[in-house]
């Protein structure tokens, strides 16, 4: 059963209203999967609701990760401070805050995989340079095509994008993936017939995210597409 940790906190120099929700939390996990939601901004700043659709869409992703982790993986969902992408306090700031919470709870040595959808996918990639992060999964990430010019040396990255996504252009994600490939081991998987909400062929997104996180965090042998990505194949279809 999921348990919400009330972790509204005061950080320097900004205040965060982010919250973490446990999907599974073993006492001594070998790795942590941090699940990040998307969601558009409102006309006025608004707090994230646990019942908004973009948050709920990540619940089955977190559940799949928990099952795949077999008690060795802690899975937490991050609820951002506010909806959308506030330029003064972005979801990346919330991710970095969440990583500090993970380090305080389980130790800075525990590796983390960041898994996000839409703007959460953007945050996962932009925050993947953190010392704790060993891998990142971006599902239909909403990106600017120049945002891949960051150094992710030593990280494993998976981008999964529906080829019929009309909200987050796959071409932008592909451009970012090409840039990231200069430093990271990265795979870009195009999912045929899938749209932004990951409702059609959603099981593909969930399976790939879980398989990649488990393989990179727990050093388990991978199969199928994830095995091919980790073997060095960069561009695949599902």
């Amino acid at each position: 059963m999921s348990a919400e940790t009330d972790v509204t906190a005061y950080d320097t120099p900004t205040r965060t209203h982010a919250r973490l929700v446990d999907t599974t939390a073993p006492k001594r996990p070998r790795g942590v999967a941090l699940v990040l939601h998307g969601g558009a901004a409102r006309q006025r700043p608004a707090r994230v609701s646990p019942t908004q659709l973009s948050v709920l869409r990540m619940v089955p992703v977190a559940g799949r990760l928990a099952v795949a982790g077999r008690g060795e993986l802690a899975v937490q969902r991050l609820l951002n401070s506010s909806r959308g992408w506030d330029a003064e306090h972005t979801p990346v700031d919330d991710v970095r805050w969440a990583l500090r919470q993970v380090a305080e709870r389980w130790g800075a040595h525990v590796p983390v995989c960041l898994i996000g959808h839409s703007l959460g996918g953007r945050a996962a990639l932009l925050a993947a340079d953190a010392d704790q992060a060993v891998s990142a999964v971006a599902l239909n990430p909403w990106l600017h095509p120049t945002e891949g010019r960051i150094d992710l040396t030593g990280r494993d990255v998976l981008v999964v994008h529906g080829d019929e996504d009309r909200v987050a252009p796959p071409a932008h994600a592909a451009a970012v993936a090409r840039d990231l490939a200069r430093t990271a081991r990265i795979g870009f998987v195009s999912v045929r017939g899938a749209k932004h909400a990951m409702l059609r062929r959603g099981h593909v997104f969930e399976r790939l995210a879980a398989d990649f996180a488990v393989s990179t965090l727990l050093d388990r042998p991978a199969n199928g597409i994830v095995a091919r990505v980790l073997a060095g194949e960069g561009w695949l279809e599902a």
Side-chain angles (χ1 to χ4, degrees):
M1 180 179 294
S2 297
E4 181 171 335
T5 305
D6 186 0
V7 289
T8 299
Y10 292 86
D11 277 355
T12 303
T14 57
R15 177 179 177 177
T16 177
H17 292 285
R19 290 160 285 170
L20 285 167
V21 181
D22 289 342
T23 297
T24 183
K27 290 184 178 180
R28 295 180 179 83
R30 291 179 54 202
V32 177
L34 192 58
V35 180
L36 318 173
H37 64 82
R42 296 291 184 90
Q43 289 184 339
R44 296 180 179 179
R47 293 282 299 273
V48 169
S49 167
T51 60
Q52 71 188 59
L53 293 179
S54 57
V55 172
L56 292 176
R57 180 60 190 90
M58 300 308 288
V59 172
V61 176
R64 184 77 177 244
L65 285 159
V67 171
R70 300 175 191 168
E72 295 183 287
L73 198 66
V75 181
Q76 292 188 301
R77 291 188 296 116
L78 173 64
L79 275 62
N80 291 336
S81 295
S82 60
R83 295 183 183 226
W85 196 277
D86 185 331
E88 294 184 1
H89 182 94
T90 74
V92 174
D93 296 316
D94 289 331
V95 174
R96 297 198 189 284
W97 168 84
L99 288 170
R100 292 195 293 274
Q101 303 302 308
V102 167
E104 289 180 11
R105 186 172 181 180
W106 289 299
H109 65 285
V110 178
V112 177
C113 178
L114 303 173
I115 303 106
H117 170 240
S118 190
L119 286 176
R122 182 187 189 189
L125 296 179
L126 295 181
D129 61 349
D131 290 342
Q132 295 153 272
V134 299
S135 56
V137 180
L139 307 172
N140 285 344
W142 193 101
L143 293 161
H144 294 294
T146 58
E147 288 185 307
R149 297 168 188 174
I150 55 178
D151 188 347
L152 295 184
T153 299
R155 278 75 172 184
D156 292 313
V157 178
L158 179 66
V159 178
V160 187
H161 216 117
D163 64 0
E164 294 186 12
D165 190 336
R166 300 294 180 262
V167 175
H172 289 188
V176 169
R178 284 191 289 270
D179 279 341
L180 291 177
R182 297 170 186 171
T183 58
R185 179 167 56 176
I186 185 166
F188 185 99
V189 180
S190 179
V191 183
R192 295 184 299 273
K195 298 183 179 181
H196 189 68
M198 304 189 300
L199 298 178
R200 182 187 299 175
R201 305 200 69 201
H203 64 285
V204 175
F205 292 89
E206 294 163 13
R207 184 187 73 246
L208 290 174
D211 290 353
F212 193 78
V214 165
S215 294
T216 56
L217 289 174
L218 303 180
D219 197 29
R220 292 183 188 163
N223 297 303
I225 287 176
V226 169
R228 293 168 64 186
V229 168
L230 295 177
E233 289 191 52
W235 301 89
L236 299 162
E237 287 191 352

